[in-house]
Amino acid sequence: MAINYNLAKVYALSDNDPEFVTQIITLFVTEVPQDLKQIDIGIKTKDYKLAYGYAHKIKPSLDLLGMSVAFEEILQVEAWTKREGKRKEIVYTFESIQNQIEKAVKEIKKDYEL
């Protein structure tokens, strides 16, 4: 049973098509960690456009996989980029997102033998 993610929305969207679900989770596992690195670079260098672009890109994936806390936190990252805040304001939020995504990726890889 999934602890760090929930595929209910994915199954509903796909009409319970296991191939579609596999495609979605494979994309999540391969792309989201890479996108997260770009957000990290954007935060560290205060490249707000870079951080915003990748935060905006992964936001639907977090919602689709039922990661509501990470979804709310990515909204905070987007808001931070819009107001061009200080790095220390967002560091802990970003670390929380990173941790949640790492756990979900690890669990998905184990659950689906990816």
Side-chain angles (χ1 to χ4, degrees):
M1 184 180 139
I3 297 171
N4 298 296
Y5 66 97
N6 182 334
L7 296 177
K9 286 184 181 180
V10 179
Y11 279 107
L13 187 67
S14 71
D15 291 330
N16 293 322
D17 178 359
E19 189 174 309
F20 179 80
V21 172
T22 302
Q23 287 177 337
I24 295 295
I25 60 172
T26 301
L27 281 172
F28 180 83
V29 166
T30 56
E31 289 188 14
V32 171
Q34 297 302 315
D35 295 343
L36 209 55
K37 289 177 185 175
Q38 295 301 312
I39 296 170
D40 191 27
I41 292 168
I43 290 171
K44 287 179 179 171
T45 63
K46 290 191 175 181
D47 184 340
Y48 299 105
K49 287 183 181 180
L50 178 70
Y52 177 83
Y54 281 95
H56 190 71
K57 180 182 175 191
I58 70 169
K59 184 172 60 174
S61 297
L62 298 175
D63 183 41
L64 197 57
L65 268 75
M67 299 176 66
S68 55
V69 173
F71 179 80
E72 292 300 321
E73 289 174 338
I74 207 71
L75 294 176
Q76 292 175 30
V77 171
E78 285 184 335
W80 173 82
T81 63
K82 288 179 183 176
R83 72 174 187 281
E84 297 188 359
K86 296 183 183 197
R87 228 178 321 175
K88 67 181 180 181
E89 296 172 348
I90 205 67
V91 169
Y92 294 112
T93 302
F94 178 72
E95 286 174 358
S96 173
I97 296 167
Q98 251 182 331
N99 186 34
Q100 292 172 67
I101 290 174
E102 285 172 5
K103 285 181 180 178
V105 166
K106 185 177 179 181
E107 187 176 8
I108 290 168
K109 283 181 175 180
K110 182 181 175 193
D111 291 350
Y112 289 87
E113 298 176 3
L114 297 177

